[in-house]
Each structure stands twice: as C-alpha cells, then as structure tokens.
Amino acid sequence: MSLRLPNPPLRAPDAEAGSAAPAPAPRYGIAIVGNDKIIDWLLPFLESYRDTNSSLPIYLIPYDDNVDMTRRAADLYGAIYVDEEPVEIDRLSQELYPGFFNNNRRRLRKLQALALPLDEVAYVDVDVILFRDFTPIFGRLEAGKREFIVASPSFEYVYNDRRSAYPFLNDVLLFNDGFWVTSNKYLKLSDFIETMKTDAEIFHDVRKRGQLFAQPLVNFVTHRRGLKIALLPKVLPGASHESFYKAPGVTFRDGKPLDVDGREIYFCHWAGATALPSRGVFDPAWTEYSRAAWARFKK
C-alpha cells in the first residue's frame, strides 16, 4: 500500500469565529526494511505490530526488488510501502563499500527512514517482535538533551581500537542500530552524505569490520555530529535497555516481558541469530506470532 496518508488533513480555520487553525498533530511512525528473503521474520514482526502498535503508521522500505510477498504483507497489515528509489543511499553505500555485493551494501537502506514524512520516526529491524505500545516513546526528543534514542548498547560491534586516536569518539555511547528514534530536525540523510564527504577516511580507519555496514556508520555519524544520544531507560521511566533474545533472568507479567530488574522490555531482537527462534525465553511468543501471521497471509 503505497498511497495512504498517515494523518488526516488539517481543518481549515473557522473564518466566522476568527479562530486560528489548530496546530498540526505531530506525525509519529515506525519504519522497517524487508523483502521476500526474510519473509519468515517480516510476518511475525507485522503480526506483533498489529497486536501492539497498529495506532501508529508503519512504513515498509524495500531491501531490494524481491518483494512480491512483501508487498502483499504490506497491504495485509496496512503498512505504507515506500516506492521511492533510495538513489542517494545506494550511491553512498557503493562509495563506502565498493568491494562488497549489493545485498550487503543495501543494509544502509534503513537510512531512508530519515526521509519519511514524519516528525519523529522509530526505526526497527524486522528480526524483532514488539511487546509494548511505542506511543509513550515519542514526543520525548529535545534539542541539546535527547536527540537520538536507542535501546541497547553495543560495545564490541561498532569501532576498532584505533578509535582512541580521535578525541571526538572518547566517552561516546556505542549502540545497537536495530532500534533508534530521532527526528529530521536533528539527523537527516544529507548529514550522512556530508559527513562521509569530509570524514570517510576517519570512518574507515575506526569502523569495525566483519560484515558490519550500517551499525558503524550510524554510530559514527551521530558521534561525529555530536548528537545527544540517550538510552531508552533514561527517556522512559520503567523501561529496560534489554532487547537481546538471549537476555538472562527474563520473566513475564500479563504476557509482557520484564528484565532481571523487573523493568519493562519493549521488544525482543534476535540480533546475530543464525536460525529461526525455537527454544529461548522469547521464542514461544515469536512462534505464536509467526503461526498467526502465516494463517492470515495464506487466507
């Protein structure tokens, strides 16, 4: 579904009463990237979205042209399929990673989330299921204080040891880029392009190798531009920074997960998983969403 307004049009001002037009409501939404190759992950994600966050518009960015089932899933779940070609992103990915296949370079297509018609966007990887309403996460960005919200730190999969040579990378928060919330007031696609024009050499010097593409880049640009990065628990009281599918000490209350300290887990991320979920603490919920999604998809 590529033509759907995420918010109703504004009403015209009441001329007789002389009242001013109401301020437009902030536009909040979720962005994901998918294709048919990962349909086994995409469908459970969308089913969990339907269960927990259907009040928020969701935009589906195609990973490539292998999207026959993906387009059908978008229609089925009311997702807004993004038809625009990410020309600038693909050019940037080719310049940064010229020796890699397109299927690796296209991981940067998540950056198209920054060009959506939203005031704030939550980008989420699709090897995820959502457990809680994301609405309370929005509206908490603030210039100079919270400009980029992340859920989980990632200490080993961002930079190499040469980062110590660059003072602007001292004491920065390294994060997993499978979830983030920001606004194009603070971070635009053009910021990535401009930063790489001036600092690509530094980026390649410090980035962690090993099939890592988007995560070092998103970290580097936010750090280089000095964005104020905040962990979810610092933004939303009672929230957990935990989302890893192997998290220890997870319990459930009313079907919703809590971390080892009793804080609310908002989603589970199977980052680095080599097989579909089967035996972990979050896996029964994923399996049920998968079963329901496939039943809905095959009708």
Side-chain angles (χ1 to χ4, degrees), residues 6-270:
N7 290 294
L10 298 177
R11 293 176 56 190
D14 186 338
E16 287 189 350
S19 59
R27 300 169 299 172
Y28 303 143
I30 298 171
I32 59 174
V33 175
N35 70 351
D36 290 2
K37 185 176 180 180
I38 56 169
I39 195 70
D40 286 328
W41 289 105
L42 176 62
L43 285 176
F45 175 93
L46 288 171
E47 188 71 21
S48 74
Y49 157 79
R50 180 180 184 272
D51 188 38
T52 60
N53 280 275
S54 59
S55 65
L56 289 168
I58 186 166
Y59 290 78
L60 200 164
I61 299 163
Y63 188 80
D64 55 23
D65 295 331
N66 180 23
V67 289
D68 289 345
M69 289 188 291
T70 300
R71 281 184 174 273
R72 185 179 164 205
D75 286 339
L76 185 63
Y77 286 94
I80 303 164
Y81 188 89
V82 179
D83 282 313
E84 290 80 5
E85 286 291 324
V87 176
E88 291 181 306
I89 297 170
D90 287 351
R91 183 185 302 121
L92 175 64
S93 65
Q94 189 168 10
E95 291 171 354
L96 289 178
Y97 306 115
F100 293 89
F101 295 113
N102 279 338
N103 61 337
N104 287 319
R105 296 201 303 258
R106 288 193 182 106
R107 297 181 193 183
L108 268 61
R109 286 192 170 187
K110 64 174 61 179
L111 300 181
Q112 197 166 5
L114 299 171
L116 297 175
L118 296 169
D119 297 305
E120 294 183 16
V121 62
Y123 170 80
V124 191
D125 279 354
V126 295
D127 52 348
V128 158
I129 57 173
L130 310 179
F131 282 105
R132 301 180 190 274
D133 180 12
F134 275 23
T135 303
I137 301 174
F138 291 104
R140 296 176 182 267
L141 297 172
E142 185 178 342
K145 188 174 181 181
R146 292 184 298 269
E147 299 166 336
F148 194 87
I149 300 169
V150 299
S152 304
S154 179
F155 302 112
E156 298 180 12
Y157 301 105
V158 177
Y159 300 131
N160 59 46
D161 292 341
R162 288 189 293 277
R163 62 174 285 206
S164 60
Y166 301 96
F168 73 90
L169 294 177
N170 291 340
D171 302 320
V172 293
L173 173 62
L174 310 184
F175 57 84
N176 184 304
D177 80 330
F179 168 90
W180 39 264
V181 179
T182 194
S183 166
N184 58 21
K185 290 192 299 184
Y186 308 124
L187 187 65
K188 300 179 177 67
L189 176 57
S190 60
D191 293 333
F192 283 79
I193 296 168
E194 293 302 317
T195 302
M196 288 301 102
K197 281 182 181 178
T198 58
D199 294 321
E201 185 176 349
I202 299 175
F203 170 66
H204 287 301
D205 191 39
V206 301
R207 72 178 175 88
K208 187 87 168 184
R209 268 63 171 177
Q211 297 302 301
L212 296 167
F213 298 91
Q215 184 157 294
L217 180 65
V218 177
N219 273 262
F220 183 84
V221 172
T222 55
H223 296 150
R224 188 60 170 137
R225 302 190 74 84
L227 266 69
K228 300 301 182 182
I229 303 170
L231 278 170
L232 188 57
K234 297 293 186 181
V235 175
L236 195 60
S240 174
H241 77 270
E242 189 60 78
S243 62
F244 189 45
Y245 74 106
K246 292 183 179 180
V250 173
T251 57
F252 283 78
R253 184 172 64 207
D254 300 327
K256 307 293 186 182
L258 305 173
D259 68 13
V260 67
D261 297 315
R263 300 175 73 87
E264 296 179 340
I265 296 174
Y266 271 69
F267 63 94
C268 175
H269 187 190
W270 279 264

